């Protein structure tokens, strides 16, 4: 099976050769969903989402951006690319779940979805870390690509 882009003909790991690709504008949005117990959500709301460790959402936003910038160092076969834009937005939805959105953009020969996914993931882990003193019953339920554009294929989750 040679359909996996990160395997060569001998089925050994390889970085994808992007030398012949054209530079295009690439954008990706990823989402992570964090479920916290009601007591944590109430404490966060009462304290304007601030804790003795600092502002939970603001710290998670910074962590997500920092992680997106380091994606090429964290994912072994991911190309290191110069991130040109990264935004992390966090909100509480009507189900009292914390939704994290990470948008990443670059002009490059290869995609940016791993950076968006990494940013959303680390932001979710940061929320877990900052709230775990109240309860370990925190669930990072879902991390998914919402959309990507640029390159060979565009994608938008319905």
């Amino acid at each position: 099976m040679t359909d996996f882009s990160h395997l060569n003909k001998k089925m050994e790991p390889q970085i994808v050769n992007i030398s012949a690709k054209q530079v295009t504008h690439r954008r990706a949005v990823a989402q992570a969903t964090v479920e916290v117990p009601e007591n944590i959500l109430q404490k966060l709301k009462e304290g304007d989402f601030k804790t003795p460790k600092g502002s939970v959402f603001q710290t998670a936003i910074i962590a997500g951006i920092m992680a997106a910038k380091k994606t090429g160092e964290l994912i072994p076969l991911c190309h290191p690319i110069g991130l040109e834009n990264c935004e992390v937005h966090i909100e509480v939805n009507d189900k009292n779940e914390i939704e994290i959105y990470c948008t990443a953009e670059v002009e490059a020969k290869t995609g940016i979805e791993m950076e968006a996914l990494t940013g959303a993931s680390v932001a979710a882990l940061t929320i877990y870390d900052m709230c775990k003193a109240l309860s370990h019953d925190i669930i990072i339920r879902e991390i998914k690509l919402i959309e990507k554009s640029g390159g060979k294929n565009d994608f938008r989750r319905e």
Side-chain angles (χ1 to χ4, degrees), residues 15-144:
I15 194 166
V16 175
N17 183 351
I18 61 170
S19 59
K21 286 186 165 188
Q22 296 300 309
V23 172
T24 61
H25 180 80
R26 294 160 188 265
R27 179 179 183 274
V29 180
Q31 177 190 8
T33 303
V34 182
E35 184 180 314
V36 296
E38 186 63 31
N39 69 311
I40 292 177
L41 196 57
Q42 286 309 315
K43 279 197 176 283
L44 287 173
K45 287 179 179 177
E46 289 167 10
D48 196 27
F49 297 94
K50 292 180 177 69
T51 70
K53 286 186 173 183
S55 171
V56 174
F57 286 6
Q58 296 302 311
T59 303
I61 288 168
I62 293 168
I65 292 168
M66 289 176 66
K69 290 172 23 177
K70 292 189 171 285
T71 300
E73 297 172 35
L74 299 170
I75 310 293
L77 301 175
C78 188
H79 289 88
I81 58 175
L83 193 63
E84 293 174 356
N85 184 39
C86 185
E87 298 175 9
V88 177
H89 298 285
I90 303 174
E91 56 194 50
V92 177
N93 68 19
D94 58 358
K95 298 177 190 172
N96 283 334
E97 300 166 321
I98 299 168
E99 290 183 346
I100 302 158
Y101 295 92
C102 181
T103 302
E105 293 181 86
V106 70
E107 297 280 332
K109 292 182 173 190
T110 189
I112 192 86
E113 62 265 29
M114 293 309 299
E115 286 74 9
L117 287 160
T118 301
S121 301
V122 171
L125 289 167
T126 300
I127 290 172
Y128 184 101
D129 179 53
M130 294 187 74
C131 296
K132 70 183 181 205
L134 298 172
S135 172
H136 285 91
D137 193 23
I138 301 168
I139 301 169
I140 299 172
R141 284 194 310 123
E142 187 172 48
I143 299 165
K144 63 186 175 187

